[in-house]
Amino acid sequence: GSSRGGGGEGRAKRRNDDVVDRRKESAEKKRRVTTGRDDDAKVVGGGGDDDDDDIESTFELWEGVEPVDAADVFVKEHGLSVGYRNAILEEVCRVQVCKRVRPVVWKKEINLGGQLLTAEILEGDEPADTLFHLLQPYGVPYPDRRKIMSLVISDDVPRTRDVALVFSQSINIANATASSSSSISSTKKHAGTITFYDDGSEPIDTLFEFMTERNLTDYEESLRNSVLPRVCVFVSCTRDVPASWRGSVSLSNDGHNASLAILQDEEPVDAIDLFLQSHYGSSYYTREETMAQRQSLLATACAAIAATENGRNCTRTVPAVYRKNINDEYGRFVGTMEILEGDEVVDAVVRFLHSIPPSVTLDDVQLKNYFFSKVCTAVPRVKC
């Protein structure tokens, strides 16, 4: 009897030694964390009512792994609820430091010009907001931010929107009213909440749309000065003049769409001309297809701008190809001379001379000679 018992002890010892050796070989720096009771952090489940078919699974936490991440993987592998995860985490955090209670649901290494940045999205985060605040200190341009967000979208990470909320502010407008005693009292009226998203829009356009929708254009200057400086800390503000019209234009040369904005102080045909030059080249006007697109864009933009509450009419159908400020002999500003596409230079000079007050005297011959020498050899689309 004693020999049989001794053999059992020897075999048990050898099995224990084998387990230790295997652990040392596979995970030299890892350690198993248990919670003190034999049945702690164990999950029992089975395919039927027979207790003999029940399967026991032991939760293990390895060194360097955040407990909530390990617990989240465990319950998902076993088809368990968040309640099980919380119960496991409660036990583990009694004996192990837990830095957070929400698991990572998405993680990527991002290369920012040679600098690696780890992006993590936790359960319950709005992914677009998390990525925006992570990338904003590094000055990552909008197109690159969209590329990173597209990875989140393709991985189907839970979210409620695809763009980040950059800034939101409640707008209150002061109303001055006269009381029966002829004194003036001031009250504030809530005009709405303006919200800016990281969607590529120019902040001044978002602000102007907000003011137009709520009849607040009388407060444009004060709202511009109070709101825009706070928004432009987070996103790039490239202009302070709002657009009268914006549209997405299909480009025939590469099949992509590009955004066209016509500003409030711009003549629409001039903005369209610059837009087409930037995408098709400075000689776009020599091709019938692109000239037809110019006319189509102009008709669409002019109709839309004229239909707005503060609409204005387009004054030209051809763009200006040359501009110059003109001063008198004393250096005082007289006006800006424009030469339009297809103009005879001398006609443009005469048109300008007729537009200035009679009291202003300019040497018309000198002016014509100047523009002949400066424009005829350097500016295309004019006649000399």
Side-chain angles (χ1 to χ4, degrees), residues 50 53-54 80 92 110 125 134 138 152 156 164 199 202 213 221 232 245 252 255 269 274 276 296 315 317 347 350 379:
D50 190 350
D53 292 333
D54 287 348
L80 301 172
V92 173
I110 301 172
D125 280 354
L134 174 71
Y138 297 92
V152 173
D156 200 24
D199 57 1
E202 191 68 34
E213 290 172 357
E221 184 177 357
C232 296
W245 181 83
S252 60
V269 70
L274 292 174
L276 295 176
S296 175
T315 63
T317 59
D347 292 342
V350 171
V379 180

CSV table of all heavy atoms in Angstrom, one decimal, residues 50 53-54 80 92 110 125 134 138 152 156 164 199 202 213 221 232 245 252 255 269 274 276 296 315 317 347 350 379:
chain,number,residue,atom,x,y,z
A,50,ASP,N,-28.4,18.4,-17.7
A,50,ASP,CA,-27.6,17.5,-17.0
A,50,ASP,C,-26.4,18.2,-16.4
A,50,ASP,O,-25.6,18.7,-17.1
A,50,ASP,CB,-27.2,16.3,-17.9
A,50,ASP,CG,-26.5,15.2,-17.2
A,50,ASP,OD1,-26.2,15.4,-16.0
A,50,ASP,OD2,-26.3,14.1,-17.8
A,53,ASP,N,-22.9,17.6,-17.8
A,53,ASP,CA,-22.4,18.2,-19.0
A,53,ASP,C,-21.9,19.7,-18.9
A,53,ASP,O,-21.5,20.3,-19.8
A,53,ASP,CB,-23.6,18.3,-20.1
A,53,ASP,CG,-24.0,16.8,-20.5
A,53,ASP,OD1,-23.1,16.0,-20.4
A,53,ASP,OD2,-25.2,16.6,-20.9
A,54,ASP,N,-22.0,20.2,-17.6
A,54,ASP,CA,-21.6,21.6,-17.4
A,54,ASP,C,-20.1,21.7,-17.7
A,54,ASP,O,-19.3,20.8,-17.5
A,54,ASP,CB,-21.8,22.0,-15.9
A,54,ASP,CG,-23.3,22.2,-15.7
A,54,ASP,OD1,-24.1,22.3,-16.7
A,54,ASP,OD2,-23.7,22.3,-14.5
A,80,LEU,N,-21.5,35.8,-22.5
A,80,LEU,CA,-22.0,36.2,-21.2
A,80,LEU,C,-22.3,37.7,-21.2
A,80,LEU,O,-21.9,38.4,-22.1
A,80,LEU,CB,-21.0,35.9,-20.0
A,80,LEU,CG,-20.7,34.4,-19.9
A,80,LEU,CD1,-19.6,34.3,-18.9
A,80,LEU,CD2,-21.9,33.6,-19.5
A,92,VAL,N,-11.5,40.9,-9.2
A,92,VAL,CA,-10.1,41.1,-9.6
A,92,VAL,C,-9.6,42.4,-9.0
A,92,VAL,O,-8.4,42.4,-8.5
A,92,VAL,CB,-10.0,41.1,-11.1
A,92,VAL,CG1,-8.5,41.5,-11.5
A,92,VAL,CG2,-10.3,39.8,-11.7
A,110,ILE,N,-1.1,54.7,-35.2
A,110,ILE,CA,-1.1,55.7,-36.2
A,110,ILE,C,0.2,56.3,-36.4
A,110,ILE,O,0.9,56.8,-35.5
A,110,ILE,CB,-2.2,56.8,-35.9
A,110,ILE,CG1,-3.5,56.2,-35.7
A,110,ILE,CG2,-2.2,57.9,-37.0
A,110,ILE,CD1,-4.6,57.1,-35.2
A,125,ASP,N,-17.5,55.4,-25.7
A,125,ASP,CA,-16.9,56.6,-26.3
A,125,ASP,C,-17.7,56.9,-27.6
A,125,ASP,O,-18.1,56.0,-28.3
A,125,ASP,CB,-15.5,56.5,-26.6
A,125,ASP,CG,-14.6,56.7,-25.4
A,125,ASP,OD1,-15.1,57.1,-24.4
A,125,ASP,OD2,-13.3,56.4,-25.5
A,134,LEU,N,-7.7,63.5,-29.8
A,134,LEU,CA,-6.4,62.8,-29.8
A,134,LEU,C,-5.5,63.5,-30.8
A,134,LEU,O,-4.3,63.7,-30.6
A,134,LEU,CB,-6.5,61.3,-30.1
A,134,LEU,CG,-5.2,60.5,-30.2
A,134,LEU,CD1,-4.5,60.4,-28.9
A,134,LEU,CD2,-5.5,59.2,-30.8
A,138,TYR,N,-1.7,67.6,-32.5
A,138,TYR,CA,-0.7,67.3,-33.5
A,138,TYR,C,-0.9,68.0,-34.8
A,138,TYR,O,-0.1,67.9,-35.7
A,138,TYR,CB,-0.6,65.8,-33.7
A,138,TYR,CG,-0.2,65.0,-32.5
A,138,TYR,CD1,-1.2,64.5,-31.6
A,138,TYR,CD2,1.2,64.8,-32.1
A,138,TYR,CE1,-0.8,63.8,-30.5
A,138,TYR,CE2,1.5,64.1,-31.0
A,138,TYR,CZ,0.5,63.6,-30.2
A,138,TYR,OH,0.8,62.9,-29.0
A,152,VAL,N,-12.3,53.4,-38.5
A,152,VAL,CA,-13.3,53.2,-37.5
A,152,VAL,C,-14.6,52.7,-38.1
A,152,VAL,O,-15.3,51.8,-37.7
A,152,VAL,CB,-13.5,54.4,-36.6
A,152,VAL,CG1,-14.7,54.2,-35.6
A,152,VAL,CG2,-12.2,54.7,-35.8
A,156,ASP,N,-16.7,49.0,-38.2
A,156,ASP,CA,-18.1,49.0,-37.6
A,156,ASP,C,-18.0,49.2,-36.1
A,156,ASP,O,-18.8,48.5,-35.4
A,156,ASP,CB,-18.8,47.8,-38.0
A,156,ASP,CG,-20.3,47.9,-37.8
A,156,ASP,OD1,-20.8,49.1,-37.9
A,156,ASP,OD2,-21.0,46.9,-37.7
A,164,ALA,N,-16.8,64.6,-35.6
A,164,ALA,CA,-16.6,65.0,-34.2
A,164,ALA,C,-17.4,66.3,-33.9
A,164,ALA,O,-17.5,67.2,-34.8
A,164,ALA,CB,-15.2,65.2,-34.0
A,199,ASP,N,-16.6,68.6,-40.0
A,199,ASP,CA,-17.0,68.0,-41.2
A,199,ASP,C,-16.5,68.7,-42.5
A,199,ASP,O,-17.0,68.6,-43.6
A,199,ASP,CB,-18.6,68.1,-41.3
A,199,ASP,CG,-19.1,69.5,-41.1
A,199,ASP,OD1,-18.3,70.4,-41.0
A,199,ASP,OD2,-20.3,69.7,-41.1
A,202,GLU,N,-16.4,75.5,-43.3
A,202,GLU,CA,-15.8,76.7,-42.8
A,202,GLU,C,-16.6,77.3,-41.7
A,202,GLU,O,-17.8,77.5,-41.8
A,202,GLU,CB,-15.7,77.7,-43.9
A,202,GLU,CG,-14.8,78.9,-43.6
A,202,GLU,CD,-13.3,78.5,-43.5
A,202,GLU,OE1,-12.8,77.6,-44.2
A,202,GLU,OE2,-12.6,79.2,-42.7
A,213,GLU,N,-31.0,81.6,-40.3
A,213,GLU,CA,-32.1,80.8,-39.9
A,213,GLU,C,-32.9,81.4,-38.8
A,213,GLU,O,-34.1,81.3,-38.7
A,213,GLU,CB,-31.7,79.4,-39.6
A,213,GLU,CG,-31.2,78.6,-40.7
A,213,GLU,CD,-30.6,77.3,-40.3
A,213,GLU,OE1,-30.5,77.0,-39.0
A,213,GLU,OE2,-30.2,76.5,-41.1
A,221,GLU,N,-21.7,91.0,-36.3
A,221,GLU,CA,-20.4,91.4,-35.8
A,221,GLU,C,-20.1,90.9,-34.4
A,221,GLU,O,-19.1,90.4,-34.1
A,221,GLU,CB,-20.3,92.9,-35.9
A,221,GLU,CG,-18.9,93.4,-35.5
A,221,GLU,CD,-18.7,94.9,-35.6
A,221,GLU,OE1,-19.6,95.6,-36.0
A,221,GLU,OE2,-17.6,95.4,-35.2
A,232,CYS,N,-12.0,78.6,-33.6
A,232,CYS,CA,-10.8,78.6,-34.5
A,232,CYS,C,-9.6,78.1,-33.7
A,232,CYS,O,-8.6,77.8,-34.3
A,232,CYS,CB,-10.5,79.9,-35.1
A,232,CYS,SG,-11.8,80.5,-36.3
A,245,TRP,N,-23.0,81.0,-51.6
A,245,TRP,CA,-23.5,79.8,-52.2
A,245,TRP,C,-22.3,78.8,-52.2
A,245,TRP,O,-21.1,79.1,-52.3
A,245,TRP,CB,-23.9,80.0,-53.7
A,245,TRP,CG,-24.4,78.8,-54.4
A,245,TRP,CD1,-25.6,78.3,-54.3
A,245,TRP,CD2,-23.6,77.9,-55.2
A,245,TRP,NE1,-25.7,77.1,-55.1
A,245,TRP,CE2,-24.5,76.9,-55.7
A,245,TRP,CE3,-22.3,77.9,-55.7
A,245,TRP,CZ2,-24.1,75.9,-56.5
A,245,TRP,CZ3,-21.9,76.9,-56.5
A,245,TRP,CH2,-22.8,75.9,-56.9
A,252,SER,N,-14.7,66.6,-64.5
A,252,SER,CA,-14.6,65.7,-65.6
A,252,SER,C,-13.3,65.0,-65.9
A,252,SER,O,-13.1,64.0,-66.5
A,252,SER,CB,-15.1,66.4,-66.9
A,252,SER,OG,-14.2,67.5,-67.2
A,255,GLY,N,-13.1,62.5,-62.3
A,255,GLY,CA,-14.3,61.8,-61.8
A,255,GLY,C,-14.6,62.1,-60.3
A,255,GLY,O,-15.6,61.6,-59.8
A,269,VAL,N,-19.0,84.8,-61.2
A,269,VAL,CA,-18.3,84.3,-62.3
A,269,VAL,C,-16.8,84.3,-62.1
A,269,VAL,O,-16.0,83.4,-62.6
A,269,VAL,CB,-18.6,85.0,-63.6
A,269,VAL,CG1,-18.1,86.5,-63.6
A,269,VAL,CG2,-18.1,84.3,-64.8
A,274,LEU,N,-11.8,81.1,-61.1
A,274,LEU,CA,-10.7,80.6,-60.3
A,274,LEU,C,-10.8,79.2,-59.9
A,274,LEU,O,-9.7,78.4,-59.9
A,274,LEU,CB,-10.5,81.5,-59.1
A,274,LEU,CG,-10.2,83.0,-59.3
A,274,LEU,CD1,-10.2,83.8,-58.0
A,274,LEU,CD2,-8.8,83.1,-59.9
A,276,LEU,N,-12.3,76.7,-61.6
A,276,LEU,CA,-12.0,75.9,-62.8
A,276,LEU,C,-10.5,75.9,-63.1
A,276,LEU,O,-10.0,74.9,-63.5
A,276,LEU,CB,-12.9,76.3,-63.9
A,276,LEU,CG,-14.4,76.1,-63.7
A,276,LEU,CD1,-15.1,76.7,-64.9
A,276,LEU,CD2,-14.7,74.7,-63.5
A,296,SER,N,-23.0,76.5,-66.9
A,296,SER,CA,-24.0,75.8,-66.1
A,296,SER,C,-23.8,76.1,-64.6
A,296,SER,O,-24.8,76.4,-63.9
A,296,SER,CB,-23.8,74.3,-66.3
A,296,SER,OG,-24.6,73.6,-65.4
A,315,THR,N,-23.7,90.4,-61.7
A,315,THR,CA,-23.6,91.6,-62.6
A,315,THR,C,-22.9,91.3,-63.9
A,315,THR,O,-22.9,92.1,-64.8
A,315,THR,CB,-22.9,92.7,-61.8
A,315,THR,OG1,-21.6,92.3,-61.5
A,315,THR,CG2,-23.7,93.1,-60.6
A,317,THR,N,-21.3,88.0,-66.7
A,317,THR,CA,-21.3,86.6,-67.2
A,317,THR,C,-19.9,86.2,-67.6
A,317,THR,O,-19.7,85.0,-68.0
A,317,THR,CB,-22.3,86.4,-68.3
A,317,THR,OG1,-22.0,87.2,-69.4
A,317,THR,CG2,-23.7,86.6,-67.9
A,347,ASP,N,-10.5,99.4,-74.7
A,347,ASP,CA,-11.9,99.6,-74.3
A,347,ASP,C,-12.1,99.5,-72.8
A,347,ASP,O,-12.9,100.3,-72.2
A,347,ASP,CB,-12.8,98.5,-74.9
A,347,ASP,CG,-12.9,98.6,-76.5
A,347,ASP,OD1,-12.6,99.7,-77.0
A,347,ASP,OD2,-13.3,97.6,-77.1
A,350,VAL,N,-11.0,102.9,-71.4
A,350,VAL,CA,-12.0,103.9,-71.7
A,350,VAL,C,-13.2,103.7,-70.7
A,350,VAL,O,-13.7,104.7,-70.1
A,350,VAL,CB,-12.5,103.9,-73.1
A,350,VAL,CG1,-13.7,104.8,-73.3
A,350,VAL,CG2,-11.4,104.3,-74.0
A,379,VAL,N,-1.0,88.8,-70.2
A,379,VAL,CA,-2.3,88.3,-69.7
A,379,VAL,C,-3.1,87.7,-70.9
A,379,VAL,O,-3.3,88.3,-71.9
A,379,VAL,CB,-3.2,89.5,-69.2
A,379,VAL,CG1,-4.5,89.0,-68.7
A,379,VAL,CG2,-2.4,90.2,-68.0
